[in-house]
Short mmCIF file of all heavy atoms in Angstrom, two decimals:
data_model
loop_
_atom_site.label_atom_id
_atom_site.label_comp_id
_atom_site.label_asym_id
_atom_site.label_seq_id
_atom_site.Cartn_x
_atom_site.Cartn_y
_atom_site.Cartn_z
N MET L 96 91.19 106.52 162.72
CA MET L 96 91.25 105.22 162.08
C MET L 96 92.27 104.37 162.83
O MET L 96 93.31 104.85 163.23
CB MET L 96 91.67 105.41 160.62
CG MET L 96 91.78 104.14 159.84
SD MET L 96 92.32 104.33 158.12
CE MET L 96 91.41 105.70 157.51
N ARG L 97 91.92 103.12 163.02
CA ARG L 97 92.84 102.22 163.71
C ARG L 97 94.11 102.03 162.89
O ARG L 97 94.09 102.04 161.66
CB ARG L 97 92.18 100.87 163.92
CG ARG L 97 91.08 100.92 164.94
CD ARG L 97 90.39 99.58 165.13
NE ARG L 97 91.28 98.46 164.95
CZ ARG L 97 90.90 97.26 164.53
NH1 ARG L 97 89.65 97.03 164.27
NH2 ARG L 97 91.77 96.29 164.40
N PHE L 98 95.22 101.84 163.57
CA PHE L 98 96.52 101.67 162.91
C PHE L 98 96.51 100.48 161.96
O PHE L 98 97.02 100.55 160.85
CB PHE L 98 97.63 101.52 163.96
CG PHE L 98 98.98 101.31 163.35
CD1 PHE L 98 99.66 102.35 162.76
CD2 PHE L 98 99.57 100.05 163.36
CE1 PHE L 98 100.90 102.16 162.17
CE2 PHE L 98 100.81 99.84 162.78
CZ PHE L 98 101.48 100.90 162.19
N VAL L 99 95.91 99.37 162.41
CA VAL L 99 95.87 98.16 161.58
C VAL L 99 95.09 98.42 160.29
O VAL L 99 95.50 98.01 159.21
CB VAL L 99 95.24 96.98 162.37
CG1 VAL L 99 95.05 95.77 161.49
CG2 VAL L 99 96.08 96.65 163.57
N THR L 100 93.99 99.13 160.40
CA THR L 100 93.19 99.45 159.22
C THR L 100 93.99 100.33 158.28
O THR L 100 94.02 100.11 157.07
CB THR L 100 91.88 100.15 159.63
OG1 THR L 100 91.16 99.31 160.52
CG2 THR L 100 91.02 100.46 158.42
N LYS L 101 94.64 101.35 158.83
CA LYS L 101 95.45 102.26 158.00
C LYS L 101 96.57 101.50 157.31
O LYS L 101 96.84 101.72 156.13
CB LYS L 101 96.01 103.39 158.85
CG LYS L 101 96.81 104.39 158.02
CD LYS L 101 97.24 105.57 158.82
CE LYS L 101 98.06 106.57 158.05
NZ LYS L 101 98.52 106.24 156.73
N THR L 102 97.20 100.59 158.00
CA THR L 102 98.28 99.80 157.42
C THR L 102 97.78 98.98 156.23
O THR L 102 98.43 98.93 155.18
CB THR L 102 98.90 98.87 158.49
OG1 THR L 102 99.37 99.67 159.57
CG2 THR L 102 100.03 98.04 157.92
N ARG L 103 96.63 98.36 156.39
CA ARG L 103 96.06 97.56 155.29
C ARG L 103 95.67 98.45 154.11
O ARG L 103 95.89 98.08 152.95
CB ARG L 103 94.87 96.75 155.77
CG ARG L 103 95.29 95.61 156.69
CD ARG L 103 94.13 94.76 157.08
NE ARG L 103 93.20 95.57 157.88
CZ ARG L 103 92.07 95.13 158.38
NH1 ARG L 103 91.69 93.90 158.19
NH2 ARG L 103 91.31 95.90 159.09
N LEU L 104 95.10 99.61 154.40
CA LEU L 104 94.72 100.52 153.33
C LEU L 104 95.95 101.05 152.60
O LEU L 104 95.95 101.19 151.37
CB LEU L 104 93.89 101.68 153.87
CG LEU L 104 92.47 101.32 154.31
CD1 LEU L 104 91.82 102.51 155.01
CD2 LEU L 104 91.63 100.86 153.14
N ASP L 105 97.01 101.33 153.33
CA ASP L 105 98.25 101.78 152.70
C ASP L 105 98.83 100.71 151.80
O ASP L 105 99.31 100.99 150.69
CB ASP L 105 99.28 102.19 153.76
CG ASP L 105 98.92 103.48 154.47
OD1 ASP L 105 98.01 104.21 154.00
OD2 ASP L 105 99.54 103.76 155.52
N ARG L 106 98.78 99.47 152.25
CA ARG L 106 99.29 98.35 151.43
C ARG L 106 98.43 98.19 150.17
O ARG L 106 98.95 97.97 149.08
CB ARG L 106 99.30 97.06 152.24
CG ARG L 106 99.71 95.84 151.48
CD ARG L 106 101.16 95.93 150.99
NE ARG L 106 101.48 94.73 150.23
CZ ARG L 106 102.20 94.71 149.12
NH1 ARG L 106 102.71 95.81 148.66
NH2 ARG L 106 102.42 93.58 148.49
N LEU L 107 97.13 98.31 150.34
CA LEU L 107 96.23 98.22 149.19
C LEU L 107 96.53 99.34 148.20
O LEU L 107 96.56 99.10 146.98
CB LEU L 107 94.78 98.29 149.66
CG LEU L 107 93.71 98.22 148.58
CD1 LEU L 107 93.84 96.95 147.74
CD2 LEU L 107 92.33 98.31 149.21
N GLU L 108 96.78 100.53 148.69
CA GLU L 108 97.12 101.64 147.80
C GLU L 108 98.39 101.34 147.01
O GLU L 108 98.47 101.59 145.80
CB GLU L 108 97.30 102.93 148.60
CG GLU L 108 97.59 104.12 147.72
CD GLU L 108 97.67 105.43 148.48
OE1 GLU L 108 97.41 105.45 149.71
OE2 GLU L 108 97.97 106.45 147.84
N THR L 109 99.37 100.78 147.67
CA THR L 109 100.62 100.40 146.99
C THR L 109 100.34 99.40 145.86
O THR L 109 100.85 99.54 144.75
CB THR L 109 101.62 99.79 148.00
OG1 THR L 109 101.90 100.75 149.01
CG2 THR L 109 102.91 99.37 147.32
N LEU L 110 99.51 98.42 146.16
CA LEU L 110 99.17 97.43 145.13
C LEU L 110 98.39 98.07 143.98
O LEU L 110 98.63 97.75 142.81
CB LEU L 110 98.36 96.29 145.75
CG LEU L 110 99.10 95.40 146.74
CD1 LEU L 110 98.13 94.45 147.42
CD2 LEU L 110 100.20 94.64 146.03
N LEU L 111 97.47 98.96 144.31
CA LEU L 111 96.68 99.61 143.26
C LEU L 111 97.55 100.47 142.36
O LEU L 111 97.32 100.55 141.16
CB LEU L 111 95.56 100.46 143.88
CG LEU L 111 94.48 99.70 144.63
CD1 LEU L 111 93.49 100.67 145.25
CD2 LEU L 111 93.77 98.71 143.72
N ARG L 112 98.56 101.09 142.93
CA ARG L 112 99.46 101.93 142.13
C ARG L 112 100.29 101.10 141.14
O ARG L 112 100.83 101.63 140.19
CB ARG L 112 100.36 102.76 143.03
CG ARG L 112 99.60 103.84 143.76
CD ARG L 112 100.50 104.83 144.46
NE ARG L 112 99.72 105.83 145.16
CZ ARG L 112 99.14 106.88 144.60
NH1 ARG L 112 99.25 107.07 143.31
NH2 ARG L 112 98.44 107.74 145.33
N SER L 113 100.36 99.80 141.37
CA SER L 113 101.13 98.94 140.46
C SER L 113 100.30 98.47 139.27
O SER L 113 100.82 97.78 138.39
CB SER L 113 101.70 97.74 141.22
OG SER L 113 100.65 96.85 141.58
N ILE L 114 99.03 98.85 139.20
CA ILE L 114 98.18 98.49 138.06
C ILE L 114 98.71 99.20 136.82
O ILE L 114 98.88 100.43 136.82
CB ILE L 114 96.71 98.86 138.32
CG1 ILE L 114 96.14 98.06 139.47
CG2 ILE L 114 95.88 98.68 137.05
CD1 ILE L 114 94.73 98.47 139.89
N ALA L 115 98.97 98.45 135.79
CA ALA L 115 99.57 99.01 134.58
C ALA L 115 98.59 99.91 133.81
O ALA L 115 98.98 100.96 133.30
CB ALA L 115 100.07 97.89 133.68
N ASP L 116 97.35 99.50 133.72
CA ASP L 116 96.35 100.28 132.99
C ASP L 116 96.02 101.55 133.79
O ASP L 116 95.45 101.49 134.87
CB ASP L 116 95.09 99.43 132.79
CG ASP L 116 94.02 100.13 131.97
OD1 ASP L 116 93.66 101.28 132.31
OD2 ASP L 116 93.55 99.53 130.99
N GLU L 117 96.41 102.70 133.24
CA GLU L 117 96.27 103.96 133.96
C GLU L 117 94.81 104.28 134.32
O GLU L 117 94.53 104.77 135.40
CB GLU L 117 96.85 105.10 133.12
CG GLU L 117 96.95 106.40 133.88
CD GLU L 117 97.62 107.50 133.08
OE1 GLU L 117 98.60 107.19 132.38
OE2 GLU L 117 97.17 108.65 133.17
N GLN L 118 93.89 103.99 133.42
CA GLN L 118 92.48 104.26 133.68
C GLN L 118 91.96 103.40 134.84
O GLN L 118 91.26 103.88 135.73
CB GLN L 118 91.64 104.03 132.42
CG GLN L 118 90.19 104.47 132.55
CD GLN L 118 90.05 105.96 132.87
OE1 GLN L 118 90.82 106.78 132.40
NE2 GLN L 118 89.09 106.28 133.71
N GLN L 119 92.30 102.12 134.82
CA GLN L 119 91.88 101.23 135.92
C GLN L 119 92.52 101.65 137.23
O GLN L 119 91.88 101.61 138.28
CB GLN L 119 92.23 99.78 135.60
CG GLN L 119 91.33 99.15 134.57
CD GLN L 119 91.66 97.68 134.36
OE1 GLN L 119 92.74 97.22 134.71
NE2 GLN L 119 90.71 96.96 133.79
N GLN L 120 93.78 102.05 137.18
CA GLN L 120 94.47 102.49 138.37
C GLN L 120 93.78 103.72 138.96
O GLN L 120 93.55 103.79 140.17
CB GLN L 120 95.93 102.82 138.06
CG GLN L 120 96.72 103.23 139.30
CD GLN L 120 98.06 103.82 138.95
OE1 GLN L 120 98.13 104.94 138.46
NE2 GLN L 120 99.12 103.05 139.20
N LYS L 121 93.44 104.68 138.11
CA LYS L 121 92.77 105.89 138.58
C LYS L 121 91.44 105.57 139.24
O LYS L 121 91.11 106.09 140.31
CB LYS L 121 92.52 106.83 137.38
CG LYS L 121 93.36 108.07 137.35
CD LYS L 121 93.09 108.84 136.09
CE LYS L 121 92.39 110.14 136.43
NZ LYS L 121 92.28 111.03 135.26
N GLU L 122 90.68 104.69 138.60
CA GLU L 122 89.38 104.30 139.14
C GLU L 122 89.54 103.60 140.49
O GLU L 122 88.82 103.89 141.45
CB GLU L 122 88.65 103.39 138.16
CG GLU L 122 87.28 102.98 138.63
CD GLU L 122 86.57 102.08 137.64
OE1 GLU L 122 87.11 101.77 136.56
OE2 GLU L 122 85.45 101.65 137.96
N ALA L 123 90.49 102.69 140.57
CA ALA L 123 90.72 101.94 141.81
C ALA L 123 91.16 102.88 142.94
O ALA L 123 90.69 102.75 144.07
CB ALA L 123 91.76 100.85 141.58
N LEU L 124 92.05 103.82 142.64
CA LEU L 124 92.51 104.75 143.66
C LEU L 124 91.39 105.68 144.11
O LEU L 124 91.29 106.03 145.29
CB LEU L 124 93.72 105.56 143.15
CG LEU L 124 95.01 104.76 143.01
CD1 LEU L 124 96.07 105.58 142.29
CD2 LEU L 124 95.52 104.29 144.36
N HIS L 125 90.53 106.06 143.18
CA HIS L 125 89.37 106.88 143.53
C HIS L 125 88.46 106.13 144.50
O HIS L 125 88.00 106.70 145.50
CB HIS L 125 88.61 107.28 142.27
CG HIS L 125 87.33 108.01 142.55
ND1 HIS L 125 87.30 109.32 142.96
CD2 HIS L 125 86.05 107.59 142.52
CE1 HIS L 125 86.05 109.68 143.16
NE2 HIS L 125 85.27 108.65 142.90
N LEU L 126 88.20 104.86 144.21
CA LEU L 126 87.37 104.04 145.10
C LEU L 126 88.02 103.91 146.48
O LEU L 126 87.34 103.97 147.51
CB LEU L 126 87.13 102.66 144.49
CG LEU L 126 86.23 102.63 143.26
CD1 LEU L 126 86.26 101.26 142.61
CD2 LEU L 126 84.82 103.03 143.64
N LEU L 127 89.33 103.72 146.50
CA LEU L 127 90.04 103.60 147.77
C LEU L 127 89.90 104.88 148.59
O LEU L 127 89.64 104.82 149.79
CB LEU L 127 91.52 103.28 147.53
CG LEU L 127 92.40 103.21 148.78
CD1 LEU L 127 91.91 102.11 149.72
CD2 LEU L 127 93.84 103.01 148.40
N GLU L 128 90.08 106.03 147.96
CA GLU L 128 89.95 107.30 148.67
C GLU L 128 88.54 107.47 149.23
O GLU L 128 88.34 107.97 150.34
CB GLU L 128 90.31 108.48 147.76
CG GLU L 128 91.80 108.59 147.48
CD GLU L 128 92.65 108.63 148.73
OE1 GLU L 128 92.32 109.39 149.68
OE2 GLU L 128 93.64 107.89 148.81
N SER L 129 87.55 107.04 148.46
CA SER L 129 86.17 107.10 148.90
C SER L 129 85.95 106.22 150.14
O SER L 129 85.30 106.62 151.10
CB SER L 129 85.24 106.67 147.77
OG SER L 129 83.91 106.66 148.17
N LEU L 130 86.51 105.04 150.11
CA LEU L 130 86.42 104.13 151.26
C LEU L 130 87.11 104.73 152.49
O LEU L 130 86.59 104.64 153.60
CB LEU L 130 87.04 102.78 150.93
CG LEU L 130 86.22 101.87 150.02
CD1 LEU L 130 87.06 100.67 149.59
CD2 LEU L 130 84.97 101.42 150.73
N LYS L 131 88.27 105.34 152.28
CA LYS L 131 88.98 105.96 153.41
C LYS L 131 88.14 107.05 154.05
O LYS L 131 88.06 107.15 155.27
CB LYS L 131 90.32 106.55 152.93
CG LYS L 131 91.40 105.53 152.67
CD LYS L 131 92.67 106.23 152.22
CE LYS L 131 93.78 105.27 151.94
NZ LYS L 131 95.02 105.97 151.52
N ARG L 132 87.51 107.88 153.21
CA ARG L 132 86.64 108.94 153.74
C ARG L 132 85.48 108.34 154.54
O ARG L 132 85.16 108.81 155.63
CB ARG L 132 86.09 109.80 152.61
CG ARG L 132 86.96 110.98 152.26
CD ARG L 132 86.24 111.97 151.35
NE ARG L 132 85.61 111.35 150.19
CZ ARG L 132 86.22 111.04 149.06
NH1 ARG L 132 87.50 111.28 148.92
NH2 ARG L 132 85.56 110.49 148.06
N ASP L 133 84.85 107.31 153.98
CA ASP L 133 83.73 106.66 154.67
C ASP L 133 84.17 106.09 156.02
O ASP L 133 83.47 106.23 157.03
CB ASP L 133 83.13 105.54 153.82
CG ASP L 133 82.32 106.04 152.66
OD1 ASP L 133 82.01 107.26 152.62
OD2 ASP L 133 81.97 105.22 151.79
N ILE L 134 85.32 105.46 156.04
CA ILE L 134 85.84 104.88 157.28
C ILE L 134 86.10 105.99 158.30
O ILE L 134 85.69 105.89 159.46
CB ILE L 134 87.12 104.05 157.03
CG1 ILE L 134 86.77 102.78 156.27
CG2 ILE L 134 87.84 103.74 158.35
CD1 ILE L 134 87.97 102.02 155.73
N ASP L 135 86.75 107.07 157.87
CA ASP L 135 87.04 108.18 158.78
C ASP L 135 85.75 108.80 159.32
O ASP L 135 85.64 109.07 160.52
CB ASP L 135 87.86 109.26 158.08
CG ASP L 135 89.31 108.89 157.93
OD1 ASP L 135 89.79 108.00 158.68
OD2 ASP L 135 89.99 109.47 157.06
N GLU L 136 84.78 109.03 158.46
CA GLU L 136 83.53 109.65 158.89
C GLU L 136 82.76 108.74 159.83
O GLU L 136 82.26 109.18 160.86
CB GLU L 136 82.67 110.01 157.68
CG GLU L 136 83.24 111.18 156.89
CD GLU L 136 82.54 111.40 155.57
OE1 GLU L 136 81.51 110.73 155.31
OE2 GLU L 136 83.02 112.24 154.80
N ASN L 137 82.66 107.47 159.49
CA ASN L 137 81.92 106.53 160.34
C ASN L 137 82.63 106.29 161.66
O ASN L 137 81.99 106.17 162.70
CB ASN L 137 81.68 105.21 159.61
CG ASN L 137 80.68 105.37 158.49
OD1 ASN L 137 79.78 106.18 158.55
ND2 ASN L 137 80.86 104.60 157.44
N TYR L 138 83.95 106.23 161.62
CA TYR L 138 84.70 106.03 162.86
C TYR L 138 84.51 107.24 163.77
O TYR L 138 84.33 107.08 164.97
CB TYR L 138 86.18 105.81 162.55
CG TYR L 138 87.00 105.48 163.77
CD1 TYR L 138 86.85 104.24 164.40
CD2 TYR L 138 87.90 106.38 164.30
CE1 TYR L 138 87.58 103.92 165.52
CE2 TYR L 138 88.64 106.06 165.43
CZ TYR L 138 88.48 104.83 166.03
OH TYR L 138 89.20 104.52 167.14
N ALA L 139 84.51 108.43 163.19
CA ALA L 139 84.29 109.64 163.99
C ALA L 139 82.92 109.61 164.63
O ALA L 139 82.75 110.02 165.78
CB ALA L 139 84.45 110.88 163.12
N GLU L 140 81.92 109.13 163.91
CA GLU L 140 80.57 109.04 164.46
C GLU L 140 80.52 108.04 165.62
O GLU L 140 79.86 108.28 166.62
CB GLU L 140 79.57 108.61 163.39
CG GLU L 140 79.26 109.69 162.39
CD GLU L 140 78.29 109.24 161.32
OE1 GLU L 140 77.65 108.18 161.51
OE2 GLU L 140 78.19 109.92 160.31
N ILE L 141 81.22 106.95 165.49
CA ILE L 141 81.24 105.93 166.54
C ILE L 141 81.90 106.49 167.80
O ILE L 141 81.48 106.20 168.92
CB ILE L 141 81.99 104.66 166.06
CG1 ILE L 141 81.17 103.98 164.97
CG2 ILE L 141 82.27 103.71 167.21
CD1 ILE L 141 81.92 102.89 164.23
N ARG L 142 82.91 107.31 167.64
CA ARG L 142 83.65 107.84 168.78
C ARG L 142 82.88 108.93 169.53
O ARG L 142 83.20 109.23 170.66
CB ARG L 142 85.00 108.39 168.33
CG ARG L 142 85.92 107.27 167.90
CD ARG L 142 87.25 107.73 167.43
NE ARG L 142 87.72 108.92 168.11
CZ ARG L 142 88.85 109.53 167.81
NH1 ARG L 142 89.59 109.09 166.84
NH2 ARG L 142 89.22 110.61 168.47
N LYS L 143 81.87 109.51 168.91
CA LYS L 143 81.08 110.54 169.58
C LYS L 143 80.33 109.91 170.74
O LYS L 143 79.80 108.80 170.62
CB LYS L 143 80.06 111.16 168.62
CG LYS L 143 80.67 112.03 167.56
CD LYS L 143 79.57 112.57 166.67
CE LYS L 143 80.14 113.31 165.49
NZ LYS L 143 79.11 113.73 164.54
N PRO L 144 80.26 110.62 171.86
CA PRO L 144 79.50 110.06 172.99
C PRO L 144 78.01 109.98 172.64
O PRO L 144 77.47 110.87 172.00
CB PRO L 144 79.76 111.03 174.13
CG PRO L 144 80.25 112.28 173.49
CD PRO L 144 80.84 111.90 172.17
N ILE L 145 77.41 108.93 173.07
CA ILE L 145 75.98 108.74 172.85
C ILE L 145 75.28 109.05 174.17
O ILE L 145 75.60 108.48 175.21
CB ILE L 145 75.67 107.30 172.41
CG1 ILE L 145 76.38 107.01 171.09
CG2 ILE L 145 74.17 107.09 172.29
CD1 ILE L 145 76.28 105.56 170.68
N ARG L 146 74.34 109.95 174.10
CA ARG L 146 73.59 110.34 175.30
C ARG L 146 72.18 109.76 175.22
O ARG L 146 71.49 109.95 174.24
CB ARG L 146 73.54 111.85 175.44
CG ARG L 146 74.90 112.48 175.54
CD ARG L 146 74.76 113.95 175.88
NE ARG L 146 75.98 114.68 175.66
CZ ARG L 146 77.05 114.68 176.44
NH1 ARG L 146 77.06 113.94 177.51
NH2 ARG L 146 78.10 115.40 176.16
N ILE L 147 71.84 109.08 176.26
CA ILE L 147 70.50 108.51 176.34
C ILE L 147 69.77 109.24 177.47
O ILE L 147 70.20 109.23 178.61
CB ILE L 147 70.54 106.99 176.62
CG1 ILE L 147 71.29 106.29 175.50
CG2 ILE L 147 69.12 106.45 176.79
CD1 ILE L 147 71.52 104.83 175.75
N TYR L 148 68.70 109.88 177.08
CA TYR L 148 67.92 110.64 178.06
C TYR L 148 66.69 109.84 178.46
O TYR L 148 65.97 109.33 177.61
CB TYR L 148 67.49 111.98 177.47
CG TYR L 148 68.66 112.88 177.13
CD1 TYR L 148 69.15 112.98 175.84
CD2 TYR L 148 69.29 113.61 178.14
CE1 TYR L 148 70.24 113.79 175.54
CE2 TYR L 148 70.38 114.42 177.85
CZ TYR L 148 70.84 114.52 176.54
OH TYR L 148 71.92 115.32 176.27
N GLU L 149 66.49 109.76 179.73
CA GLU L 149 65.29 109.07 180.22
C GLU L 149 64.14 110.05 180.25
O GLU L 149 64.31 111.22 180.58
CB GLU L 149 65.53 108.54 181.64
CG GLU L 149 66.56 107.44 181.68
CD GLU L 149 66.74 106.90 183.09
OE1 GLU L 149 65.84 107.09 183.93
OE2 GLU L 149 67.78 106.30 183.33
N LYS L 150 62.98 109.57 179.89
CA LYS L 150 61.78 110.41 179.94
C LYS L 150 61.37 110.60 181.39
O LYS L 150 61.33 109.65 182.16
CB LYS L 150 60.64 109.77 179.15
CG LYS L 150 60.85 109.75 177.67
CD LYS L 150 59.65 109.19 176.99
CE LYS L 150 59.82 109.21 175.49
NZ LYS L 150 58.63 108.71 174.82
N ASN L 151 61.07 111.83 181.73
CA ASN L 151 60.55 112.11 183.08
C ASN L 151 59.06 111.84 183.08
O ASN L 151 58.33 112.40 182.29
CB ASN L 151 60.83 113.56 183.48
CG ASN L 151 62.31 113.79 183.68
OD1 ASN L 151 63.05 112.88 184.03
ND2 ASN L 151 62.74 115.01 183.44
N GLN L 152 58.63 110.99 183.96
CA GLN L 152 57.19 110.66 183.99
C GLN L 152 56.54 111.19 185.21
O GLN L 152 56.97 111.34 186.23
CB GLN L 152 57.00 109.16 183.91
CG GLN L 152 57.47 108.64 182.58
CD GLN L 152 57.17 107.15 182.43
OE1 GLN L 152 56.38 106.57 183.16
NE2 GLN L 152 57.81 106.55 181.46
#
């Protein structure tokens, strides 16, 4: 994950933790963790080398 993205996600987590309603806070943090996983998985896929094979004719 890019440093800038991680920094923004960390700041968002800090803000979410300040939510007074415990249930809303839990839900928001769960969504954030889900987004972090998606970003990590998709970023890993992007970093994989892409091989293009030409058809032999």
Side-chain angles (χ1 to χ4, degrees):
M96 180 182 316
R97 289 179 33 208
F98 179 74
V99 174
T100 303
K101 183 174 178 351
T102 302
R103 290 184 295 180
L104 289 172
D105 289 347
R106 176 64 182 140
L107 179 57
E108 182 176 356
T109 301
L110 293 172
L111 294 177
R112 290 190 181 281
S113 70
I114 295 174
D116 183 308
E117 189 176 321
Q118 188 60 36
Q119 285 184 341
Q120 183 192 72
K121 251 176 112 171
E122 182 180 358
L124 289 170
H125 174 75
L126 290 170
L127 177 61
E128 288 306 313
S129 177
L130 286 171
K131 284 180 180 181
R132 270 192 311 277
D133 287 348
I134 290 169
D135 283 339
E136 289 170 7
N137 290 328
Y138 185 70
E140 287 179 15
I141 292 168
R142 291 180 33 183
K143 289 180 187 174
I145 299 172
R146 300 188 195 283
I147 300 174
Y148 297 99
E149 292 182 21
K150 291 184 178 182
N151 292 331
Q152 295 185 16

